Each structure stands twice: as C-alpha cells, then as structure tokens.
Amino acid sequence: MQNKYLLNFSIIITVLIFSFGFFGKSFAQTASSTDTINAEILSNIWYSTTTVNEGDNIFIYAGFQNHSGKSLSGNAGFYIDDLQISKVPFTASPKSLIKLETPYLAVRGNHIVYVKVLDIGDLLGSVTEKASLAVKYQVTTSDVLNTASNVVNNITNTVNNYADNLANYVEGLKQPTTDVTTQNNDSTIVKTPAQIAQEKLTGKVLGVSTENIENASTSIQKTAVGWGTYILNWLLDALAFIIRHWAWTLVIIMIFVVYLTLR
C-alpha cells in the first residue's frame, strides 16, 4: 500500500516537472519574440541646404543608430505632407550609426517632412519628428512681366467695355438731320434732303411749286434743319470717337503735359 502511494507521488512529481519545463520554455520564447530591438531612427532630420528655393534639387537626411549586436536591414520611407516620396533600403551593422538620404525636387510652399523605418519589428524609435520645410518662390523677370501684362490686359478690357457703352450713349444724343413734314391728320412723313431737292426740281420743271400745294383735307408744315444741329452732331461724333480711343487720347494728353512741363 505504501509502495502504491510512493508510485503515485512520483508520477505526480514527474508531471509537474515536465509541465513547468514546457510553460517556462513557452514563456521564454514569447518573451524573446516581443523583446524591443536596441536600435532607433534619430528624431531629427536635416537638409543639404539651409535655404531652399522652388526648383532646387536637394537631399533630405535622417540617421539610424543600431545599438544591438546584430545587423539590421529594412527600408526607410520619406514622407512630405503625408505622401511617401521615396523608399530607401538600408543595412546597419552592429553598433553603428548610418545616414539615410533621398533626393527631392523642391516645390513651392510650406511642407511637413518625416522619415519612418519600414519592415523592421519593434524598435526603440521607428519614426522621426515632423519637421517643417519652407520652399521659397523664386521671382523672375519673366514672371513679373507676365503678371503685369495680365493685369494691364484685364484693366484694358474692362475700360474698353465701359468706353463703348459711354460712346454709344453719346451717339444716342445726336439730333436727326432729315426734314420733318407734319400733316394735319397727326401722321409724320420723314424725308431726306435728297428727296426734298428732287421734289423741288420736279416742281420747277413743271412750272408748279410743290411748296405751295395744299390739299383740301391736308395741310403741310415743314421744319428745316439748322446748322446748329449738324455742328452738335459732329461734336458728339468727335466725343464718341475720343471715348472709344481713350488709350490714344490718354497718351496724347500725357505727351502734351510733358511738353508743357519741359518747355
């Protein structure tokens, strides 16, 4: 009976020893698989030049420090405004510090830049701090001329529209230059000077004056056009011409002012 108890106790002890060994091994494997790799990407990034203008070809740099005792290989992703512009492979020897870099064609504006380590497990640090990159706009003579030309064209087109409308209004103030014949039945007949001259000539040939003919039911009254109307219309035409050609008018006025100043 005592031997039976000893046998059962031995079996239980054996099972417990194997169980502790299995769980210890599993814990050790789990712990080793989740260990943080003693390596990191440095927090700061820098550029190949301190002043960046639009269109410049520059380099963006970052540093990777491998403190561990084994080589590490992976890729570094370079991001500008959260868009990946390049993916650079690298290998870091044990106990080494390496430089990561990528070229970049500068685009005008203010940007946010950072670098991130890809394809490597749990590092002490896998991404840099976000840094600003200000790319200045390089103003050229051509840009200035193009901008000035666009502004002048827009102003000229706007002024031309207003000038045409004003000139049309001025021309609308002109007085009619045809003789007006008024009849007693409130109807109006408009005749051109050529028609009136032809009627007078016909009356002289026939020996009858068309100016003195009166119908029993119709009386005729003619209103002659004076020279003042022609002069007024001519002045309005001249004013409308000057308004439509305001640019040349302005140039002539400026030349005249300069002439009087330098005289």
Side-chain angles (χ1 to χ4, degrees):
M1 188 71 172
Q2 185 177 2
N3 291 335
K4 184 177 180 180
Y5 283 126
L6 290 175
L7 178 62
N8 291 335
F9 180 76
S10 299
I11 293 174
I12 292 172
I13 294 297
T14 303
V15 171
L16 290 174
I17 291 174
F18 277 107
S19 298
F20 278 117
F22 175 77
F23 286 115
K25 184 177 179 181
S26 299
F27 178 79
Q29 290 177 348
T30 303
S32 62
S33 63
T34 58
D35 282 345
T36 301
I37 300 175
N38 192 12
E40 64 181 331
I41 190 169
L42 303 184
S43 60
N44 294 329
I45 62 175
W46 65 99
Y47 312 108
S48 57
T49 179
T50 56
T51 302
V52 184
N53 295 316
E54 182 181 21
D56 289 349
N57 288 292
I58 66 171
F59 280 89
I60 302 174
Y61 300 112
F64 183 81
Q65 177 75 59
N66 183 9
H67 305 283
S68 70
K70 62 179 180 179
S71 294
L72 298 174
S73 297
N75 291 282
F78 286 78
Y79 295 84
I80 294 182
D81 298 331
D82 293 326
L83 296 177
Q84 182 176 311
I85 62 169
S86 66
K87 186 177 181 180
V88 179
F90 70 90
T91 299
S93 302
K95 310 296 182 182
S96 65
L97 173 64
I98 64 173
K99 179 176 67 175
L100 309 173
E101 64 180 59
T102 189
Y104 172 64
L105 178 62
V107 178
R108 181 198 319 180
N110 296 318
H111 308 285
I112 299 298
V113 184
Y114 62 93
V115 184
K116 183 178 182 180
V117 176
L118 310 172
D119 309 325
I120 299 181
D122 191 14
L123 297 172
L124 294 176
S126 60
V127 62
T128 66
E129 294 181 353
K130 293 185 177 182
S132 61
L133 174 62
V135 180
K136 297 181 179 180
Y137 174 50
Q138 192 72 21
V139 180
T140 63
T141 304
S142 177
D143 294 332
V144 173
L145 293 177
N146 289 336
T147 302
S149 177
N150 292 334
V151 171
V152 171
N153 288 336
N154 292 334
I155 294 175
T156 301
N157 292 334
T158 301
V159 175
N160 281 338
N161 290 333
Y162 283 108
D164 285 339
N165 293 333
L166 181 58
N168 291 334
Y169 173 77
V170 170
E171 288 178 339
L173 299 176
K174 293 168 58 177
Q175 300 296 320
T177 57
T178 56
D179 287 348
V180 179
T181 302
T182 304
Q183 299 182 3
N184 62 355
N185 57 359
D186 295 330
S187 63
T188 301
I189 302 174
V190 179
K191 297 182 180 180
T192 64
Q195 291 174 328
I196 296 174
Q198 181 64 34
E199 290 178 356
K200 290 181 178 181
L201 180 60
T202 304
K204 289 181 179 181
V205 171
L206 297 177
V208 180
S209 175
T210 58
E211 296 181 358
N212 298 323
I213 298 177
E214 293 185 357
N215 188 278
S217 62
T218 304
S219 62
I220 299 175
Q221 181 180 2
K222 294 183 178 180
T223 303
V225 179
W227 285 105
T229 301
Y230 290 101
I231 294 175
L232 175 62
N233 290 346
W234 182 86
L235 292 175
L236 292 175
D237 284 335
L239 180 58
F241 179 84
I242 292 173
I243 293 174
R244 281 199 173 90
H245 300 82
W246 61 270
W248 288 107
T249 304
L250 183 61
V251 171
I252 293 173
I253 292 174
M254 292 178 62
I255 293 175
F256 182 71
V257 171
V258 172
Y259 170 76
L260 294 179
T261 303
L262 299 178
R263 186 177 177 182

